[in-house]
């Protein structure tokens, strides 16, 4: 194994050297902002004394690079001088011992942090990103990297004060009555002081002061990392030529964002925009500090002071407690606002003394367009319920996969690569799931070797046969997600961002009525399943979605994936579900279901009408007199069936909605067939499925009524009366009067005494009263409008059927 390891490392080193030599002869261009997602202010073209733009500008940075060619090569050599010895030490340990033993980790971690600090702000940022991944790095390394979040070596306060005075154009006392002698926090790009404004109120503020020479240092580092990205791209093209990911473009997006963080005037605008967005969203427990824009410049930022502690100083239990709020804020930014905080590391999130959290440091914000938002929402839905066939389409829309992808080859590999991730737990759990999947849990050599060979083969298939690519904007979005997921894993080692995000997505599906969201919602509620090939609404899915939106998610496959058809036993009550469905946050689903509900009501109207007519005929047909011995039926009239007797029915004419009555003689059966045609097989199956689901959610009495069972009974009468008294039949003027309500209540009491079978169980009145008990006045009004509209639609259908019959008879 050591010989093999040594040979692989030697080959990789030789290839790296060759690629590096080729890159060194290229003239590197600065990243372009043409397709960047970074939120930046490009209205200014100001430059500093060295000719560097204060706002990112590709052309000006390239001019600077050409002018500073010698300094850039020197900086590259310094970077190589730090990186090569460290990685050589790692490789030597790996070759000699076959692994990096835990006893070496503390020393390696200290060296890594020391090297990052020596390399400066850019590399400190890279260390900050990795400091929140307990699933990737050992705890000893995390402890060292955490110091990079806000405990970087500070620069002198005298230098900071001088910079404040230069930027604001006056002595310090003109603007502040006091300022802390030492910075309260020192980070890679700036340090922060606690000050009080000279506003007569001694308002406490945070004053963020940029590090001297940081713009020049970062500009040189961007060249160094751009060169490193070119080397990595060359290695990928040599060893995995089918891969289409442009790693240089990924780096470009990250570097544009990093440079933009140095523009504090842009940060002030970002912070104000984010603050307003969070206020408008109404998320409880989330705060963004107010910015004093009139005192903020490109190098100075003054904002509201927040009393609290950074997440980097919180215990895991505290982090777990606030993860839900932070997650809600991020998902709102990403999927609602399209404008999100792209650097949410623990140093940029405060747990406030008075409760809740504050988001600070809005230097790196990103925007995402609506089309990508919709594709991501669709991808989360398909990931959550393990629909990898549909996920391929999402990845094509996101430009991760080409349009001519080999689905048969991709879908099984998606299952192997993504399913362990959806289960949560980060990299450590992912590794354990992979070992289980490939049969590598056993300690035997054969299982280890066999599993490793199978996993290697799948990896080679991905690298060589599937031309996936990572879009450049993933550099920013991925950074934010990786950081937030790492924070959540610190508080909960089983955290899975896909499953935790699903309730938010469910709420969005309910609320937003854009065509793209409607399509995703329709897929969730109507898509065909293995056990049900019907294409109508699946009521269980509607009930499940309402529960999902409230945070109660039914799962399958060991609680790893969302079960779209599962209604959690401990989920929403009938009242809460009804209230959610009629709330302002369910506009999308009400719009989508409008026509479908009309079809459902029509199906049940016809079923109930037909069975009700049959029961009525049997109930009201005159009984036959008994036969006499030896004399037979001499006293009985000839048997006459009520449904055989033609009766006069008043029918509307054939002139559309206007009712021009006419009298028609027909039997009860003929009239029933006219107004309530017989259900076909698909409609019968659909009605059964809806009634069965209704029984689970509303109760057996209501379900039996929908099935048309026992319509001429006290239970059915009670059901209709209860619906009338609670407003489920519409709050018309007639039914809404006190006299009508008293009459309905009295009839209900009589029926309750007549029905002796309901004792011991919740009455139908109680069930329906519970369904409407939590509705607000606006929601009750909305219910009335819906019932009135539905009633009108059904009556129009009936009149149309009758009118068609009348027209055919008259012709």
């Amino acid at each position: 194994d050591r010989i093999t390891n040594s040979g692989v490392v030697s080959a990789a080193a030789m290839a790296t050297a060759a690629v590096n030599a080729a890159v060194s002869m290229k003239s590197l261009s600065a990243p372009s902002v043409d397709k960047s997602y970074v939120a930046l202010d490009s209205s200014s073209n100001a430059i500093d004394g060295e000719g560097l733009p204060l706002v990112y500008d590709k052309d000006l940075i390239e001019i600077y690079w050409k002018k500073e060619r010698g300094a850039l090569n020197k900086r590259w050599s310094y970077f190589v001088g730090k990186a090569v010895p460290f990685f050589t030490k790692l490789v030597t340990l790996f070759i000699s011992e076959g692994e990096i033993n835990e006893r070496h980790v503390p020393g390696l971690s200290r060296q890594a942090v020391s090297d990052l600090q020596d390399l400066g702000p850019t590399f400190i940022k890279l260390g900050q990103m990795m400091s929140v991944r307990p699933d990737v790095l050992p705890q000893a390394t995390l402890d060292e990297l955490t110091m990079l979040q806000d405990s970087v070596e500070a620069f002198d306060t005298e230098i900071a004060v001088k910079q404040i005075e230069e930027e604001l154009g006056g002595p310090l006392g003109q603007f502040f009555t006091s300022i802390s002698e030492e910075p309260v926090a020192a980070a890679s790009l700036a340090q922060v002081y606690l000050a009080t404004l000279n506003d007569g109120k001694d308002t406490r503020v945070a004053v963020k002061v940029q590090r001297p020479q940081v713009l020049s240092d970062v500009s040189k580092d961007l060249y160094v990392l751009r060169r490193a990205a070119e080397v990595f791209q060359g290695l990928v093209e040599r060893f995995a030529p089918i891969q289409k990911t442009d790693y240089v473009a990924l780096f470009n997006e990250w570097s544009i964002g990093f440079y933009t963080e140095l523009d504090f005037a842009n940060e002030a605008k970002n912070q104000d925009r984010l603050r307003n967005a969070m206020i408008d969203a109404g998320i409880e427990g989330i705060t963004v500090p107010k910015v004093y824009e009139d005192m903020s410049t490109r190098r100075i930022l003054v904002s509201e002071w927040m009393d609290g502690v950074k997440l980097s100083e919180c215990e895991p239990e505290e982090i777990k407690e606030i993860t839900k709020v932070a997650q809600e804020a991020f998902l709102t930014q990403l999927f609602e606002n399209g404008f999100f905080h792209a650097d949410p590391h623990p140093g940029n999130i405060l747990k406030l003394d008075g409760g809740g959290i504050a988001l600070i440091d809005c230097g790196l914000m990103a925007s995402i367009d609506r089309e990508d938002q919709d594709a991501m929402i669709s991808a989360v839905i398909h990931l959550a319920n393990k629909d990898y066939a549909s996920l391929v389409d999402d990845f094509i829309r996101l430009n991760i996969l080409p349009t001519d992808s080999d689905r048969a080859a991709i879908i099984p590999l998606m299952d192997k690569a993504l399913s362990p991730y959806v289960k949560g737990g980060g990299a450590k759990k992912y590794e354990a799931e992979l070992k289980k999947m490939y049969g590598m849990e056993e300690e035997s050599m054969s299982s280890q070797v066999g599993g490793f060979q199978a996993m290697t083969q799948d990896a080679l298939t991905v690298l060589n046969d599937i031309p996936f690519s990572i879009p450049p904007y993933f550099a920013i979005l991925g950074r934010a997600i990786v950081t937030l997921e790492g924070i959540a894993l610190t508080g909960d080692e089983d955290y899975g961002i896909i499953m935790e995000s699903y309730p938010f997505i469910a709420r969005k599906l309910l609320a937003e009525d854009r065509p793209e969201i409607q399509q995703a919602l329709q897929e969730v509620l109507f898509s065909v399943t293995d056990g049900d090939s019907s294409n109508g609404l699946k009521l269980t899915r509607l009930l499940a979605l309402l529960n999902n939106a409230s945070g109660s998610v039914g799962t399958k496959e060991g609680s790893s994936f969302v079960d779209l058809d599962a209604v959690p036993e401990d989920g929403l009550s009938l009242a809460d579900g009804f209230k959610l469905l009629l709330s302002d946050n369910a506009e999308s689903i009400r719009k989508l279901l409008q026509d479908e509900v009309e079809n459902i009501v029509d199906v049940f109207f016809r079923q109930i009408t037909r069975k009700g007519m049959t029961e009525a005929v049997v109930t009201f047909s005159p009984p036959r007199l008994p036969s006499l011995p030896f004399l037979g039926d001499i006293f009985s009239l000839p048997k006459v069936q009520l449904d055989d007797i033609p009766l006069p029915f008043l029918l509307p004419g054939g002139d559309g909605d206007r009712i021009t009555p006419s009298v028609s003689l027909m039997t009860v059966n003929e009239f029933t067939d006219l107004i309530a045609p017989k259900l076909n097989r698909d409609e019968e199956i659909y009605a059964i499925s809806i009634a069965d689901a209704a029984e689970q959610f509303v109760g057996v009495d209501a379900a039996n009524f929908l099935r048309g069972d026992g319509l001429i009974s006290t239970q059915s009468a009670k059901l209709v009366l209860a619906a009338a008294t609670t407003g489920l039949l519409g709050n018309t003027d007639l039914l809404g009067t006190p006299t009508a309500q008293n009459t309905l209540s009295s009839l209900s009491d009589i029926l309750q005494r007549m029905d002796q079978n309901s004792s011991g169980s919740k009455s139908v009145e109680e069930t329906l009263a519970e369904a409407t008990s939590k509705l607000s006045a606006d929601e009750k009004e909305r219910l009335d409008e819906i019932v009135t509209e539905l009633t009108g639609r059904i009556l129009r259908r009936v009149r149309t059927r009758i009118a068609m019959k009348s027209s055919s008879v008259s012709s």
Side-chain angles (χ1 to χ4, degrees):
D1 287 345
R2 293 178 185 176
I3 294 174
T4 301
N5 291 340
S6 179
V8 171
V9 171
S10 297
M14 292 174 62
T16 303
V19 173
N20 180 46
V23 170
S24 66
M25 293 185 288
K26 294 173 63 175
S27 178
L28 301 183
S29 60
S32 170
V33 298
D34 292 344
K35 296 182 180 180
S36 176
Y37 282 74
V38 176
L40 52 83
D41 177 13
S42 57
S43 61
S44 172
N45 57 1
I47 59 175
D48 71 355
E50 295 184 75
L52 279 168
L54 298 181
V55 179
Y56 185 87
D57 185 290
K58 175 182 182 295
D59 296 331
L60 291 176
I61 289 177
E62 286 182 359
I63 293 172
Y64 176 79
W65 280 1
K66 290 176 181 177
K67 183 181 69 172
E68 298 290 333
R69 185 71 180 178
L72 294 176
N73 286 332
K74 183 178 179 181
R75 182 63 174 164
W76 172 257
S77 298
Y78 186 71
F79 165 73
V80 171
K82 289 288 185 180
V84 170
F86 181 78
F87 285 109
T88 299
K89 187 172 183 179
L90 287 178
V91 170
T92 301
L93 289 171
F94 182 71
I95 293 174
S96 62
E97 300 183 13
E99 63 176 358
I100 306 297
N101 191 278
E102 289 185 7
R103 71 180 187 279
H104 300 299
V105 171
L108 289 169
S109 302
R110 285 190 293 271
Q111 182 183 340
V113 170
S114 176
D115 289 343
L116 290 173
Q117 287 182 318
D118 290 344
L119 285 167
T122 307
F123 298 90
I124 290 173
K125 273 286 183 184
L126 294 174
Q128 287 177 346
M129 289 175 58
M130 294 307 299
S131 69
V132 293
R133 296 303 309 200
D135 55 320
V136 176
L137 297 174
Q139 190 59 46
T141 304
L142 295 175
D143 292 340
E144 295 291 334
L145 289 173
T146 299
M147 294 189 299
L148 299 177
Q149 290 174 5
D150 54 16
S151 300
V152 180
E153 184 178 349
F155 61 91
D156 195 274
T157 296
E158 289 186 8
I159 297 175
V161 170
K162 181 179 179 181
Q163 186 162 309
I164 293 172
E165 292 177 336
E166 288 177 353
E167 291 293 315
L168 296 182
L172 189 69
Q174 180 180 338
F175 308 100
F176 305 101
T177 55
S178 68
I179 190 168
S180 56
E181 294 183 3
E182 299 294 333
V184 294
S188 56
L189 304 182
Q191 56 195 40
V192 178
Y193 292 86
L194 169 60
T196 53
L197 290 177
N198 189 4
D199 60 352
K201 303 176 184 177
D202 285 339
T203 302
R204 295 192 303 162
V205 293
V207 182
K208 184 176 179 180
V209 186
Q210 192 171 114
R211 285 181 174 273
Q213 299 299 314
V214 71
L215 193 64
S216 175
D217 292 341
V218 167
S219 299
K220 294 182 178 71
D221 286 341
L222 294 187
Y223 171 84
V224 169
L225 292 176
R226 172 63 186 269
R227 185 165 171 176
E230 292 276 0
V231 171
F232 184 75
Q233 185 74 42
L235 291 172
V236 170
E237 292 172 356
R238 174 170 295 197
F239 293 109
I242 199 169
Q243 291 307 301
K244 302 302 180 183
T245 298
D246 188 344
Y247 292 98
V248 173
L250 283 172
F251 160 74
N252 287 350
E253 183 74 354
W254 182 84
S255 62
I256 292 168
F258 189 37
Y259 196 98
T260 302
E261 287 190 71
L262 299 172
D263 181 2
F264 290 177
N266 183 65
E267 179 177 346
K269 293 178 181 178
N270 285 343
Q271 189 162 319
D272 186 60
R273 179 180 172 185
L274 181 62
R275 173 181 168 84
N276 291 331
M278 292 295 94
I279 291 173
D280 292 342
I283 303 174
E284 293 185 9
I286 195 78
T287 302
V288 178
K290 173 186 174 182
V291 173
Y292 294 86
E293 288 195 55
D294 58 335
M295 300 183 68
S296 299
T297 69
R298 301 282 177 194
R299 294 189 176 96
I300 300 294
L301 178 69
V302 180
S303 61
E304 177 184 5
W305 178 262
M306 298 273 109
D307 286 312
V309 295
K310 296 182 177 180
L311 288 198
S312 53
E313 302 171 11
C314 292
E315 295 298 320
E317 295 77 15
E318 296 176 286
I319 294 175
K320 183 176 182 179
E321 182 181 320
I322 62 177
T323 293
K324 188 173 183 179
V325 177
Q327 173 184 278
E328 183 75 10
F330 178 74
L331 293 173
T332 300
Q333 293 166 39
L334 180 61
F335 292 129
E336 293 284 350
N337 308 128
F339 178 71
F340 62 92
H341 198 305
D343 191 23
H345 66 73
N348 287 342
I349 303 176
L350 296 179
K351 181 185 179 186
L352 299 177
D353 292 346
I357 62 174
L359 302 179
I360 62 175
D361 193 350
C362 298
L364 182 56
M365 301 290 296
S367 299
I368 187 168
D369 60 38
R370 182 72 78 180
E371 183 179 356
D372 286 337
Q373 278 183 315
D374 293 336
M376 289 178 190
I377 289 170
S378 182
V380 172
I381 293 171
H382 296 140
L383 261 175
N385 69 79
K386 205 177 182 181
D387 183 0
Y388 293 130
S390 298
L391 188 63
V392 171
D393 295 323
D394 301 326
F395 279 12
I396 290 173
R397 289 170 60 193
L398 290 167
N399 297 318
I400 297 174
L401 289 171
T403 54
D404 58 348
S405 295
D406 183 354
R407 294 170 182 269
I410 291 173
I411 291 173
L413 292 172
M414 272 188 166
D415 189 3
K416 291 180 179 179
L418 297 176
S419 293
Y421 174 70
V422 176
K423 292 180 180 181
K428 290 180 181 178
K429 295 287 180 69
Y430 185 89
E431 180 184 1
E433 286 293 330
L434 280 183
K435 287 184 175 180
K436 183 190 301 183
M437 184 183 300
Y438 286 99
M440 298 169 64
E441 291 180 296
E442 299 178 14
E443 297 297 328
S444 67
M445 180 61 69
S446 60
S447 66
Q448 293 288 324
V449 171
F452 182 76
Q453 288 176 341
M455 186 166 59
T456 302
Q457 183 60 50
D458 284 342
L460 289 174
T461 300
V462 171
L463 290 173
N464 297 324
D465 298 340
I466 301 176
F468 74 87
S469 63
I470 303 174
Y473 65 81
F474 267 49
I476 296 296
L477 177 60
R479 171 179 174 174
I481 291 175
V482 164
T483 303
L484 279 172
E485 188 178 40
I487 293 173
L489 286 166
T490 302
D492 178 5
E493 63 179 17
D494 294 321
Y495 180 85
I497 195 168
I498 297 298
M499 292 293 285
E500 294 293 336
S501 301
Y502 192 76
F504 180 92
I505 299 298
R507 292 198 300 275
K508 189 169 181 66
L509 291 180
L510 291 178
E512 199 163 331
D513 62 354
R514 291 186 300 105
E516 295 81 4
I517 297 299
Q518 288 269 304
Q519 181 179 346
L521 177 59
Q522 188 167 9
E523 183 179 338
V524 169
L525 295 180
F526 293 83
S527 63
V528 174
T529 61
D530 293 338
D532 183 2
S533 60
S534 63
N535 57 5
L537 170 69
K538 294 169 177 57
L539 186 57
T540 53
R541 289 198 170 190
L542 172 59
L543 303 180
L545 183 64
L546 292 173
N547 277 276
N548 297 162
S550 69
S552 181
V553 180
T555 59
K556 59 185 178 182
E557 295 192 27
S559 301
S560 300
F561 295 91
V562 174
D563 187 345
L564 297 179
D565 297 289
V567 181
E569 293 183 2
D570 58 346
L572 280 176
S573 67
L574 177 61
D576 289 332
F578 205 53
K579 183 177 179 64
L580 176 57
L581 193 58
L582 289 168
S583 70
D584 293 336
N585 297 324
E587 180 67 29
S588 176
I589 196 167
R590 288 198 300 272
K591 182 176 180 180
L592 178 66
L593 294 180
Q594 191 173 42
D595 292 338
E596 187 66 24
V597 170
E598 179 184 344
N599 291 332
I600 292 173
V601 172
D602 181 62
V603 165
F604 283 114
F605 164 76
R606 287 152 56 196
Q607 178 167 274
I608 292 169
T609 299
R610 294 185 69 84
K611 290 191 176 183
M613 286 294 192
T614 301
E615 281 195 37
V617 167
V618 173
T619 301
F620 298 113
S621 292
R624 290 175 59 85
L625 294 175
S627 299
L628 297 176
F630 306 110
L631 298 177
D633 296 331
I634 59 172
F635 296 111
S636 297
L637 296 173
K639 180 179 180 182
V640 177
Q641 289 291 112
L642 187 61
D643 53 348
D644 290 334
I645 303 174
L647 300 171
F649 288 94
L650 193 65
L651 305 179
D655 55 350
D657 284 343
R658 289 189 305 157
I659 302 177
T660 305
S662 63
V663 177
S664 178
L665 287 176
M666 61 183 72
T667 66
V668 172
N669 284 341
E670 289 173 336
F671 179 73
T672 302
D673 288 339
L674 179 60
I675 66 169
K678 185 178 180 181
L679 274 60
N680 60 38
R681 178 175 174 78
D682 289 341
E683 288 173 332
E684 287 178 346
I685 294 173
Y686 188 35
I688 290 171
S689 68
I690 295 291
D692 289 345
E695 180 175 340
Q696 178 183 354
F697 200 61
V698 183
V700 69
D701 290 337
N704 286 338
F705 182 82
L706 292 177
R707 296 184 183 108
D709 296 340
L711 292 173
I712 301 182
S713 67
T714 56
Q715 284 297 321
S716 293
K718 286 166 59 182
L719 181 68
V720 174
L721 286 172
T725 56
T726 56
L728 289 173
L729 295 183
N731 191 20
T732 63
D733 292 338
L734 175 62
L735 296 180
T737 61
T739 302
Q741 289 293 309
N742 290 335
T743 302
L744 292 173
S745 178
S746 299
L747 287 172
S748 179
D749 290 340
I750 294 171
L751 289 170
Q752 184 70 31
R753 295 189 185 97
M754 291 172 59
D755 182 19
Q756 302 299 320
N757 298 322
S758 62
S759 59
S761 62
K762 184 181 292 187
S763 70
V764 67
E765 294 96 330
E766 290 172 332
T767 301
L768 294 181
E770 177 188 339
T772 58
S773 61
K774 295 185 178 181
L775 297 183
S776 65
D778 289 342
E779 289 161 352
K780 288 181 178 178
E781 182 178 354
R782 183 173 290 137
L783 172 63
D784 184 45
E785 291 172 355
I786 292 171
V787 172
T788 302
E789 172 67 18
L790 271 175
T791 303
R793 286 185 171 211
I794 296 303
L795 289 176
R796 282 193 292 273
R797 282 196 181 201
V798 173
R799 290 210 307 271
T800 299
R801 291 169 186 150
I802 295 174
M804 291 174 62
K805 173 69 173 179
S806 300
S807 298
S808 63
V809 171
S810 61
S811 61

